[in-house]
Amino acid sequence: MAKVGIKLVAAMAGVSPATVSRALSGKPVDAEMRARVEEAVRATGYRPNLAARRLRSRESGTIGLIVADIRNPFFTAVSRAVEDVAFAHGLRVILCNTDENPEKEAMYLRLMEEERVTGVIFAPTRHTAPKVAVSRHAFPVVLIDRSAPTVLHDAVVLDNARAAAALVEHLHGRGYRRIVGLFGAASTTGVERRGGYEAAMRRLGLVPAATFLDHGGTATEQCVAELLAAPERPEAILASNGLMLLGVARALLRAGIHIPEDIGLAGFDNEPWTELVGAGITVMEQPVEEIGRNAMAMLFDRGANPAAAARRIVLQATCIVRGSTPGPGSPQP
């Protein structure tokens, strides 16, 4: 039998999930609304999430979510998943965008202290990750997407090295040999994906050609222009995040380079636009909703068991093969 959630109780009572939460926690609620909530609880057999209640009661009932770049569709999707879970449990979310800037990260962590948040979900930069990993805070912290080895904080991450290696293996299997990899310089994610790319290239007898790029689309487009002007143009480009992949596609379009006739392209994040470029772009799809929901579950567990050992959940990506990687010289439809 499916577990009854607070949303079902709220719908049956004709109130918001936040009102259900207030009624069940003994806070002031209109008498008629309280009666409807209690009747809905009896009718559904709803049992409150004690871990979430404990987390709420400790501080402000607010969750902090600090992401590296809200323009990145990956973080947009994760934020949506976090907010959905928070809303269902009567929690609010403060969303902060750092633009991969360590100074902004420090400022927002101070803000979380001032706001007395009940917990923080945080995607730190490469610069900040080692410090966060060994820093204690007044609230529980769950690291997402980027993290360093830690015994203090829970983390939900992707197996980045394996995902990048899988893309290399796919490209190699389609006949590509000169495969250039572009990776974000500001995150541990970029480092891990570069490591997976280089290891796979060497294992397959290929010569790695990896480049770290600064945050922002300008660096990506300039790099692609240089690659196209080189004496030996790459047969395929691998981009390590969604914004970078978009930058590569835009640069190729502006240069009059056709995908996949002139060059193969693959990258990360299965965004809607990736289906619309030519015959579609091959991507590694990250389990974004699972990342957000796991992060919230970890915060709830930490609220119920503050002394428990930190946990690390490592998730796998899925390769979505499309027409951007048919192989050099393949006949086109």
Side-chain angles (χ1 to χ4, degrees):
M1 180 180 293
K3 184 177 179 180
V4 176
I6 198 170
K7 283 187 176 181
L8 177 60
V9 175
M12 183 171 289
V15 300
S16 70
T19 297
V20 174
S21 179
R22 288 197 299 273
L24 295 180
S25 61
K27 294 180 179 179
V29 173
D30 177 82
E32 182 186 350
M33 286 186 178
R34 182 183 298 279
R36 296 208 306 266
V37 168
E38 291 173 351
E39 176 58 31
V41 167
R42 286 192 294 270
T44 59
Y46 173 69
R47 298 181 63 184
N49 185 322
L50 297 180
R53 179 179 291 180
R54 180 173 179 176
L55 198 62
R56 268 197 305 274
S57 64
R58 184 189 304 165
E59 298 291 351
S60 64
T62 301
I63 298 297
L65 176 58
I66 305 176
V67 301
D69 187 350
I70 196 61
R71 295 173 305 172
N72 187 327
F74 167 81
F75 288 117
T76 304
V78 170
S79 298
R80 173 62 185 267
V82 168
E83 195 276 335
D84 283 347
V85 176
F87 179 76
H89 290 91
L91 296 164
R92 298 168 297 176
V93 177
I94 298 177
L95 174 60
C96 301
N97 173 63
T98 68
D99 287 323
E100 304 280 13
N101 185 332
E103 291 183 3
K104 291 182 73 173
E105 287 180 317
M107 178 187 70
Y108 285 133
L109 285 171
R110 290 194 299 271
L111 173 65
M112 298 304 154
E113 297 275 1
E114 294 166 0
E115 293 293 327
R116 298 177 62 80
V117 296
T118 54
V120 169
I121 296 173
F122 185 22
T125 61
R126 180 180 174 187
H127 176 272
T128 301
K131 299 177 182 178
V132 171
V134 296
S135 300
R136 295 188 183 276
H137 299 276
F139 42 75
V141 175
V142 175
L143 303 177
I144 58 168
D145 188 49
R146 299 102 171 265
S147 70
T150 174
V151 295
L152 293 181
H153 305 303
D154 300 309
V156 186
V157 296
L158 190 77
D159 189 342
N160 289 301
R162 179 65 211 129
L167 270 186
V168 172
E169 291 160 3
H170 163 73
L171 291 168
H172 178 267
R174 291 294 175 94
Y176 296 99
R177 296 297 179 264
R178 295 194 305 278
I179 305 168
V180 170
L182 307 182
F183 303 90
S187 70
T188 57
T189 300
V191 174
E192 292 168 0
R193 291 178 183 172
R194 177 172 178 163
Y197 157 85
E198 292 181 337
M201 291 286 285
R202 294 191 180 98
R203 186 170 62 251
L204 295 168
L206 306 179
V207 179
T211 300
F212 274 133
L213 295 177
D214 292 330
H215 183 60
T218 303
T220 300
E221 294 188 32
Q222 182 177 342
C223 179
V224 171
E226 292 171 359
L227 290 172
L228 296 178
E232 195 170 47
R233 178 184 294 176
E235 295 176 338
I237 296 176
L238 185 160
S240 74
N241 64 56
L243 282 179
M244 194 175 289
L245 182 62
L246 179 59
V248 173
R250 182 184 292 119
L252 294 175
L253 177 65
R254 288 176 175 172
I257 303 299
H258 297 96
I259 306 168
E261 295 88 343
D262 302 324
I263 196 166
L265 179 61
F268 278 75
D269 298 332
N270 187 25
E271 298 307 316
W273 71 266
T274 61
E275 297 184 80
L276 306 177
V277 176
I281 297 178
T282 294
V283 293
M284 293 303 293
E285 182 177 52
Q286 301 190 70
V288 288
E289 185 167 322
E290 192 176 354
I291 291 171
R293 292 186 177 277
N294 270 292
M296 285 298 293
M298 284 180 140
L299 276 185
F300 292 150
D301 289 347
R302 183 60 53 195
N305 302 287
R311 293 185 297 151
R312 183 183 180 90
I313 297 177
V314 180
L315 302 174
Q316 301 299 323
T318 302
C319 188
I320 308 296
V321 178
R322 297 195 179 107
S324 67
T325 56
S330 297
Q332 303 302 317

